Amino acid sequence: MQNADFSRNLLQWYQHHKREMPWRGELDPYKIWVSEIMLQQTRVDQATPYFQNFISLFPTVYDLADADQQQVLKAWEGLGYYSRARNLHTAAKTVVEEYNGKVPESYDEIIKLKGIGPYTAAAVTSIAFNAPNAVVDGNVIRVLCRYFGIEDDTRSSKTSRMIQEEADELIDPEHPGDFNQALMELGSEVCTPTNPDCENCPVQAGCIATKMSKTEVIPYKSPAKKKPHHIIGVGIVENEEGQVLIALRPEEAMLGGLWEFPGGKQKEDETISETVERELHEELGVEVKAYKELMSLKHAYSHFSITMHAWFCKLVNGTPSPKESQEIKWVKTEELERYPFPKANKVLTERLINDKN
DNA sequence: AATGCGGGGCT
DNA sequence: AGCCCAGCATT
């Protein structure tokens, strides 16, 4: 199948099957940019409500550049990969300060911005500026590996380069934005990881994996490393005014800029209440008594999983001061909603708020 | 080239 | 329980 036929078939299919998305048809490169950052490693359905809310809070790149990081992280709360939000915020300031508020139009310029890599640079320039740069995301990797019969390990960077070259060769220079989106949509809706709907694929005629009955083994991805599991103990420290103590995670740490209940990993030969008491001594320089468990929960992060035990604590001796965290704060239960928390801690705040009522 | 970085939905 | 998702930054 020639490139022109591939593109014609693909774009015709796309015209009839494309899903509605709030950023589709959007001409403002800032909004395209925001959508693409949110869509990194994130499904359309999960990102959509966040996009609506984010744009209503920060309608222009100036609004975003002027915002506090805490506002930006609050808007990102629950979406994950929070470095995306911090980098997007940084990049918005760069665009305002160094590009006069205009998103740079060239691939080589836009990729210099924090949080914009090869995928996002190609996506924004092709969709917003009609530049013939091919995107390679998880969908495109799957579609092109099958179409060209590439059986190499998709985890290796050599394979990524090969797929990028194929995509650059294949892209329709007349309709780069639609071509890119159509290829991703095809991967999402037809050329799915399991049980691809090959009978309804617009480019099935040229697909090697279909011809060889290898759609179930292509793309090949080498096995992932097993994730470790940790037991975590955290303390809910209350004072006489009914406030609880929360801590701000350091900027450079995982979940940087988000708030949490202080705590840490259980050690061998230690009960979980002892863990809480030891961790709070190390992190806040105080002596506490962990006297009652609030709840426990399981949570999976990107590279490890935890079982978290949350214990109510009484302050026995000392005044809390931030040691490992950037800042600490006493807040009323109903004020917890103002602060950005990662998921596992968010569950705890909701439990505290509900128990109060 | 390899690793760290969230959370949710599907299998 | 594991896999995947409109990946990027850092080492």
Side-chain angles (χ1 to χ4, degrees):
Chain A
M1 194 184 294
Q2 299 296 314
N3 285 2
D5 297 317
F6 185 100
S7 178
R8 191 184 327 106
N9 293 343
L10 177 65
L11 290 176
Q12 185 177 352
W13 171 86
Y14 180 59
Q15 195 175 350
H16 293 292
H17 294 89
K18 69 174 175 184
R19 292 168 289 173
E20 283 302 314
M21 300 176 192
W23 49 85
R24 280 219 163 128
E26 182 57 60
L27 297 177
D28 181 356
Y30 163 71
K31 299 194 179 86
I32 303 292
W33 172 24
V34 170
S35 74
E36 291 298 346
I37 300 297
M38 286 192 174
L39 288 167
Q40 289 169 5
Q41 296 289 286
T42 305
R43 290 170 196 283
V44 168
D45 290 344
Q46 189 189 359
T48 296
Y50 282 88
F51 175 82
Q52 309 271 36
N53 180 243
F54 197 92
I55 292 301
S56 71
L57 289 173
F58 316 113
T60 72
V61 70
Y62 295 99
D63 298 306
L64 181 56
D66 284 342
D68 294 329
Q69 189 193 58
Q70 285 289 296
Q71 291 180 264
V72 178
L73 287 172
K74 186 65 190 175
W76 212 270
E77 184 187 47
L79 196 53
Y81 285 150
Y82 298 94
S83 64
R84 293 183 295 175
R86 299 192 301 267
N87 290 338
L88 175 59
H89 189 207
T90 300
K93 296 180 195 230
T94 304
V95 167
V96 167
E97 290 166 12
E98 298 180 22
Y99 294 92
N100 197 26
K102 286 193 53 144
V103 177
E105 297 193 15
S106 82
Y107 182 96
D108 291 333
E109 282 300 313
I110 201 172
I111 202 172
K112 293 178 186 168
L113 295 172
K114 278 283 187 200
I116 297 192
Y119 165 79
T120 309
V124 175
T125 57
S126 66
I127 296 170
F129 306 124
N130 220 35
N133 303 315
V135 300
V136 175
D137 74 330
N139 291 305
V140 174
I141 289 171
R142 187 171 54 257
V143 172
L144 295 191
C145 278
R146 283 173 176 161
Y147 188 80
F148 291 112
I150 298 169
E151 304 191 44
D152 307 72
D153 184 1
T154 57
R155 216 180 274 282
S156 92
S157 48
K158 192 165 58 179
T159 310
S160 303
R161 280 198 297 279
M162 181 178 0
I163 296 168
Q164 181 72 61
E165 286 172 18
E166 296 286 8
D168 291 337
E169 175 69 22
L170 195 56
I171 192 172
D172 184 343
E174 298 295 321
H175 313 282
D178 278 348
F179 181 93
N180 280 335
Q181 294 181 82
L183 205 53
M184 294 190 282
E185 193 90 345
L186 186 70
S188 172
E189 302 300 300
V190 174
C191 194
T192 49
T194 57
N195 303 316
D197 188 10
C198 298
E199 301 80 67
N200 291 309
C201 175
V203 295
Q204 185 197 9
C207 179
I208 293 179
T210 306
K211 210 162 304 183
M212 311 283 282
S213 300
K214 285 187 168 178
T215 55
E216 294 303 323
V217 296
I218 300 178
Y220 168 71
K221 194 173 189 181
S222 54
K225 216 173 56 173
K226 220 186 103 178
K227 300 178 186 179
H229 184 264
H230 302 301
I231 312 290
I232 305 288
V234 303
I236 314 289
V237 188
E238 296 173 299
N239 66 12
E240 290 81 358
E241 288 101 276
Q243 296 170 309
V244 295
L245 194 59
I246 61 175
L248 180 61
R249 294 184 58 82
E251 178 79 11
E252 66 281 4
M254 173 182 165
L255 305 171
L258 297 170
W259 294 79
E260 67 178 359
F261 294 100
K265 279 189 269 190
Q266 183 178 36
K267 293 188 171 174
E268 290 181 50
D269 307 319
E270 188 178 60
T271 67
I272 194 66
S273 58
E274 286 169 350
T275 301
V276 173
E277 290 167 1
R278 175 182 52 75
E279 287 285 346
L280 267 60
H281 179 71
E282 291 172 6
E283 297 192 0
L284 306 171
V286 292
E287 189 185 338
V288 301
K289 173 66 183 171
Y291 64 94
K292 185 179 70 173
E293 185 174 71
L294 168 65
M295 66 179 298
S296 67
L297 59 90
K298 292 181 186 298
H299 185 75
Y301 294 102
S302 52
H303 54 302
F304 64 94
S305 59
I306 61 167
T307 300
M308 176 185 281
H309 298 270
W311 280 67
F312 286 110
C313 294
K314 279 195 204 320
L315 204 44
V316 175
N317 199 6
T319 303
S321 70
K323 301 231 181 298
E324 296 175 13
S325 56
Q326 196 174 308
E327 182 185 343
I328 59 173
K329 190 167 280 200
W330 290 102
V331 297
K332 292 181 192 144
T333 310
E334 59 268 27
E335 293 173 343
L336 288 168
E337 294 176 346
R338 301 181 192 173
Y339 300 86
F341 287 92
K343 175 66 180 175
N345 279 270
K346 180 76 173 172
V347 171
L348 300 182
T349 67
E350 287 170 350
R351 177 64 179 270
L352 288 172
I353 291 167
N354 284 336
D355 287 358
K356 191 100 176 179
N357 301 335

